[in-house]
Amino acid sequence: MKPVLTTQPLAAVAPGPSAAPPVRRIIKLGGAAVTVKSQLETLRPEVLDSLVRTLATTSGLPEAEASTSGAGGTVLVHGAGSFGHFPASEYGVVRGPISDPRVRRGFTLSRASVTKLNGLVVGALVAAGVPAVGLSPLGLYHTCNKQVAVSGGASASALLAAGLLPVLHGDCVLDTALGCTVLSGDTLVRDLAERLRPQYVVFLTNVPGVYDRPPEEAGARLLRRIMVTPDGGWRVAEVEGGSDGGDSGGGDSSVRMSVDAHDATGGIALKVEEAAAVARMGIPVLIAQAGSEHGDAACRLGPQVAATAAGGEGGGEGEGGGVAAASGSPPATWRGTLVVLEGC
Amino acid sequence: MKPVLTTQPLAAVAPGPSAAPPVRRIIKLGGAAVTVKSQLETLRPEVLDSLVRTLATTSGLPEAEASTSGAGGTVLVHGAGSFGHFPASEYGVVRGPISDPRVRRGFTLSRASVTKLNGLVVGALVAAGVPAVGLSPLGLYHTCNKQVAVSGGASASALLAAGLLPVLHGDCVLDTALGCTVLSGDTLVRDLAERLRPQYVVFLTNVPGVYDRPPEEAGARLLRRIMVTPDGGWRVAEVEGGSDGGDSGGGDSSVRMSVDAHDATGGIALKVEEAAAVARMGIPVLIAQAGSEHGDAACRLGPQVAATAAGGEGGGEGEGGGVAAASGSPPATWRGTLVVLEGC
């Protein structure tokens, strides 16, 4: 039997516009950043610890007070990485149908794995005093041909209003056309940004930002500022090492954007496309390395941090970045990619 | 800021009556049965294993096929036991308000703990090949003064239709009047029974059924059959050891019903009241010991199993019951409590 769903959003439980709490930021913690993607269910505890420190000491303002005082709360979304991706790929969960016993098996294996990761992420946050609660998309989100048809944004909003920090994750969901699919964390971020209108969005990845080609290739350059236009175009406005990438109308064909070549739920194109879609809403997007001082500063300061990049020539540290302690002051020169709407 | 919620159910995503999949049973696994309630986060793995065997070998029919073939699927609800109850009690989560930082802290600690138990339950089921998926109430369910105001029943129904076995649990939820509260697994069962209309409901507890007084007291007798009436009354129709408890109109005052004296989310009265409320819908309820052959038989056979009790005089085994292997044949004499609507 095929699941019967409508595509009507859960407006019934959505707070009205005036009641919606202010949302400061949505942070996406990449699956490739927080796990060792090649090793089954292997966490990178130092990356998680770094984010936990950032959230526990955010500008000295506890999340709950920030959320309820008007400063705005935080939503965290994490990917699956090596929790969930292996069975999801092996059993073809992204294509469905759920009526196929093999796909259904993959669905349950993937979900059991990614909810395990969610438990680890939430557990670490709660242990540090952050008012985090897991909010697993299955049952809240439904898709139609991989596009969000029913959103769980209203539930996230209600939790924010209560001073809580919702932690969502890329998940297996039911899909009215395919039976089931994988809803990526990046797509979740776009949906939540549209509904919650945060002040900014941060993607924490396993490399320092978006490059003009795979970052492991010689001569790869970090794109420091990408301008998107309302019509769907974009151009590289600033590249690390000076001289911008030139104007490029609907996209720079000399640029093979690379954030994380190993992402299994849509790869580079999807991630950058989702980031551009968010920026096109007028919400600045920062892409930086998880576990680095740059990632930490992006989470704490939002687009303000990129002011240090505007005049900077080259980063002060090597490619690796590594895990820096979450410090109170921003790095002298921020390394990462800022994606903003032209004119903003 | 108080969460703003309406009390309108999620009808938008609910399958219509004709599309709703047949539901065979709702099984409630008591927190006191599956955990050692006095020891923090301590599972009783042998009790969980017994239920997993029951669900993995249900009448030889895999759950998914049962759900999609018309035989009907299964919903599992578990309590929190020593996962969640300690912080929930210590921090007063049941009373709210969530705006109190201390209550909010208890809320996040309780949730992190009970979702850990959910992960263990779902993980064990999935490892045995059961198509189980966790469905955590927070975000799906909202209450008003502890009563269900927005139900997650539609989501459970959609998962059933997809051949999956939803596993819910007693949880902390947002409450429009109190800010937050604890939604007990027993209340969840009543809500799901009302919306999904299963063929029967089984409560698996840590004692063999409902007693006429605390089961550890000398002379405590197992109530084998309780008849409820549409007006809210009930009577004991059969007691273990022969001679019934007599007619008792609106409730037998000589009976101090006892299922589990240590339950922290409402205790005996709530549990039996929720069971009676389900029976009043015309849905038979069986209460039996988790991990015993009687609990296993109740899950597999539903009210049919109680036919063996009708003529039986006394159980064939001692009070303890213990963990029996999930066998294919029912016990010669079933020990447990059947709660049914008068005339059914």
Side-chain angles (χ1 to χ4, degrees):
Chain A
M1 190 185 298
K2 199 181 233 184
V4 177
L5 303 164
T6 75
T7 56
Q8 191 176 328
L10 300 188
V13 290
S18 63
V23 180
R24 180 176 173 194
R25 57 193 173 177
I26 297 173
I27 299 173
K28 162 73 197 296
L29 179 60
V34 73
T35 74
V36 181
K37 283 198 81 168
S38 59
Q39 289 173 35
L40 182 66
E41 297 190 348
T42 306
L43 192 69
R44 290 192 199 271
E46 72 282 7
V47 170
L48 177 56
D49 288 349
S50 172
L51 179 65
V52 168
R53 280 195 301 276
T54 299
L55 293 180
T57 61
T58 295
S59 310
L61 196 63
E63 278 303 310
E65 278 61 51
S67 179
T68 53
S69 70
T74 300
V75 177
L76 178 64
V77 177
H78 64 80
S82 57
F83 290 76
H85 271 185
F86 290 116
S89 300
E90 185 183 345
Y91 293 86
V93 176
V94 74
R95 297 182 300 276
I98 190 83
S99 58
D100 178 340
R102 191 176 150 75
V103 172
R104 192 191 294 128
R105 176 88 184 129
F107 190 97
T108 62
L109 287 169
S110 305
R111 241 190 91 68
S113 189
V114 74
T115 53
K116 190 186 290 184
L117 177 59
N118 189 250
L120 293 173
V121 171
V122 172
L125 288 164
V126 170
V130 177
V133 286
L135 191 63
S136 200
L138 176 65
L140 284 170
Y141 273 88
H142 300 284
T143 56
C144 181
N145 267 323
K146 303 182 192 174
Q147 300 303 307
V148 172
V150 176
S151 168
S155 292
S157 186
L159 297 179
L160 283 163
L164 298 163
L165 190 157
V167 184
L168 293 89
H169 57 85
D171 201 6
C172 310
V173 295
L174 299 184
D175 186 290
T176 38
L178 304 170
C180 66
T181 194
V182 174
L183 177 62
S184 87
D186 296 327
T187 302
L188 264 178
V189 167
R190 180 170 65 164
D191 175 75
L192 291 166
E194 194 173 341
R195 293 166 199 279
L196 303 177
R197 295 280 162 179
Q199 293 166 35
Y200 57 94
V201 167
V202 179
F203 283 87
L204 295 173
T205 60
N206 64 338
V207 290
V210 181
Y211 282 77
D212 61 352
R213 68 204 70 186
E216 59 277 14
E217 280 188 20
R221 295 188 307 169
L222 178 65
L223 308 183
R224 298 180 70 161
R225 190 180 294 254
I226 295 173
M227 310 293 281
V228 302
T229 51
D231 65 1
W234 58 270
R235 69 180 180 88
V236 177
E238 191 189 343
V239 177
E240 191 171 67
S243 84
D244 68 40
D247 292 313
S248 47
D252 187 337
S253 62
S254 73
V255 171
R256 292 178 292 141
M257 282 193 194
S258 183
V259 175
D260 168 23
H262 308 289
D263 195 296
T265 52
I268 303 146
L270 177 66
K271 196 181 299 287
V272 176
E273 186 41 54
E274 301 292 11
V278 172
R280 215 162 275 131
M281 299 172 202
I283 300 165
V285 176
L286 298 100
I287 304 173
Q289 188 159 30
S292 75
E293 61 176 331
H294 305 285
D296 171 60
C299 292
R300 284 188 294 108
L301 302 171
Q304 292 174 9
V305 80
T308 65
E313 290 291 321
E317 63 183 81
E319 279 293 302
V323 176
S327 62
S329 57
T333 301
W334 184 70
R335 288 194 83 213
T337 303
L338 175 66
V339 188
V340 288
L341 185 63
E342 190 87 56
C344 291
Chain B
M1 189 184 296
K2 199 180 231 185
V4 178
L5 301 165
T6 75
T7 55
Q8 191 175 331
L10 300 188
V13 290
S18 63
V23 179
R24 181 177 173 196
R25 57 193 172 177
I26 297 174
I27 299 173
K28 163 73 196 299
L29 179 60
V34 73
T35 74
V36 181
K37 283 197 84 168
S38 59
Q39 289 174 35
L40 183 66
E41 297 191 348
T42 306
L43 192 69
R44 290 192 197 270
E46 73 282 7
V47 170
L48 178 57
D49 289 349
S50 171
L51 178 64
V52 168
R53 280 196 301 277
T54 298
L55 293 180
T57 61
T58 295
S59 311
L61 194 64
E63 277 305 307
E65 278 61 51
S67 177
T68 54
S69 70
T74 300
V75 176
L76 179 63
V77 177
H78 64 80
S82 57
F83 291 76
H85 270 185
F86 290 116
S89 300
E90 186 184 344
Y91 293 84
V93 176
V94 74
R95 296 181 301 274
I98 190 84
S99 57
D100 178 338
R102 190 175 152 77
V103 172
R104 192 191 292 126
R105 176 88 185 128
F107 190 97
T108 63
L109 286 168
S110 305
R111 241 191 91 67
S113 189
V114 73
T115 53
K116 189 186 291 183
L117 177 59
N118 189 249
L120 293 173
V121 171
V122 172
L125 287 165
V126 170
V130 177
V133 287
L135 192 64
S136 200
L138 176 66
L140 284 171
Y141 273 87
H142 299 285
T143 55
C144 180
N145 268 324
K146 304 181 192 175
Q147 300 303 308
V148 172
V150 177
S151 168
S155 291
S157 185
L159 297 178
L160 283 164
L164 297 164
L165 188 157
V167 184
L168 294 90
H169 57 85
D171 201 4
C172 309
V173 295
L174 299 184
D175 186 290
T176 39
L178 304 171
C180 65
T181 195
V182 174
L183 177 61
S184 86
D186 296 326
T187 302
L188 264 178
V189 167
R190 180 170 64 165
D191 176 74
L192 290 166
E194 193 174 342
R195 292 166 200 279
L196 303 177
R197 296 280 162 179
Q199 293 166 34
Y200 58 94
V201 167
V202 179
F203 284 87
L204 295 173
T205 60
N206 65 338
V207 290
V210 181
Y211 282 76
D212 62 352
R213 70 203 70 186
E216 61 275 14
E217 282 188 19
R221 294 189 306 168
L222 179 65
L223 309 183
R224 298 180 71 159
R225 189 179 294 252
I226 296 172
M227 310 295 280
V228 301
T229 52
D231 65 2
W234 58 270
R235 68 178 181 90
V236 178
E238 191 188 342
V239 177
E240 191 172 66
S243 82
D244 67 40
D247 290 313
S248 48
D252 187 338
S253 62
S254 73
V255 171
R256 291 177 294 140
M257 283 194 193
S258 184
V259 175
D260 169 22
H262 308 289
D263 194 296
T265 53
I268 303 147
L270 177 65
K271 195 182 299 288
V272 175
E273 186 43 52
E274 300 294 10
V278 172
R280 215 162 275 131
M281 298 173 203
I283 300 165
V285 177
L286 298 101
I287 304 173
Q289 187 159 32
S292 75
E293 62 177 329
H294 304 285
D296 171 61
C299 293
R300 286 188 293 106
L301 303 171
Q304 292 173 11
V305 80
T308 64
E313 292 290 321
E317 61 183 82
E319 279 293 301
V323 176
S327 61
S329 56
T333 301
W334 184 70
R335 288 195 83 214
T337 303
L338 175 66
V339 187
V340 288
L341 185 62
E342 190 88 55
C344 291

